[in-house]
Amino acid sequence: MRITVVTAVHAPSARFLPEAHKSLCAQWLPHGWEWRWVIQEDGRTDEVGPYVPDDARVSFRQGRPGGPGIARTLALAHADGEYVKVLDADDQLIPGALARDLAALEADRTLGWATCRVLDLLPDGSTAGFPGDPAEGPVERGSVLRHWRENGFRAPVHPATLFVRRDLLTALGGWMALPASEDTGLLLALDAVSRGWFSAEPGLLYRKWEGQMTGQAPHVDPAERDARMAVAESRARALADFAWSFSPQVP
């Protein structure tokens, strides 16, 4: 049984791949479970390949540039496990993260996805947490969208920590075709059709550095941001209105 870890990467973030790999190698899983790492370059350059770890569990592919959501969705073609875990190229998993995600969803088949607490990894190597994380436990349907709307388009859980059932992820079409906020759009869609889980134990180091995409000027352009938020919300509300819900097969 397998967890597929999916990473979108572009040339500026490629140098962080060895650290992401090290964090994956520090994970432990129950007997019979394994991980595979699919790295998908957003583009076709010669700048990423040299940083891809030499590990039989790791595969590397390239494609036309279209942004991280497109790259991750293309990577789904090679995600053959029961679950998919997101890991951005510049981030690191904290030991135990995969095992906690897996345990939550294996214990409750009504849960479609899981997230966890995040620590910022600052340039000096120190870490910082966030106030206002929810309590550990289930995240009920519709609660993410409600919080997001009431708190300036800030979700209560971080989409960069997503762990999700592969069949549910593919049913929703993967990540949204947006230049940014594609992961938030997916999170809102998942929230519309399925209960989730939040682990209060930190599971991700979210790197803060000058080259990250969320720190670039286009990311905060008001017109584009309003458009991204509008289409993400519309999709989530439409899914909720259709009254379709995730109903897993119980073995």
Side-chain angles (χ1 to χ4, degrees), residues 5 19-27 35 85-88 91-98 100-101 116 160-161 202-206:
V5 181
E19 292 178 74
H21 179 247
K22 183 178 179 181
S23 77
L24 261 175
C25 291
Q27 301 297 307
W35 57 261
K85 175 67 174 179
V86 176
L87 178 59
D88 288 347
D91 294 342
Q92 299 173 41
L93 296 178
I94 294 174
L98 282 185
R100 287 189 293 271
D101 290 340
C116 63
T161 69
L204 184 77
L205 295 177
Y206 183 82

Side-chain angles (χ1 to χ4, degrees), residues 28 62 139 171 201 219 222:
W28 60 85
Q62 298 172 300
V139 180
E201 186 77 15
H219 186 76

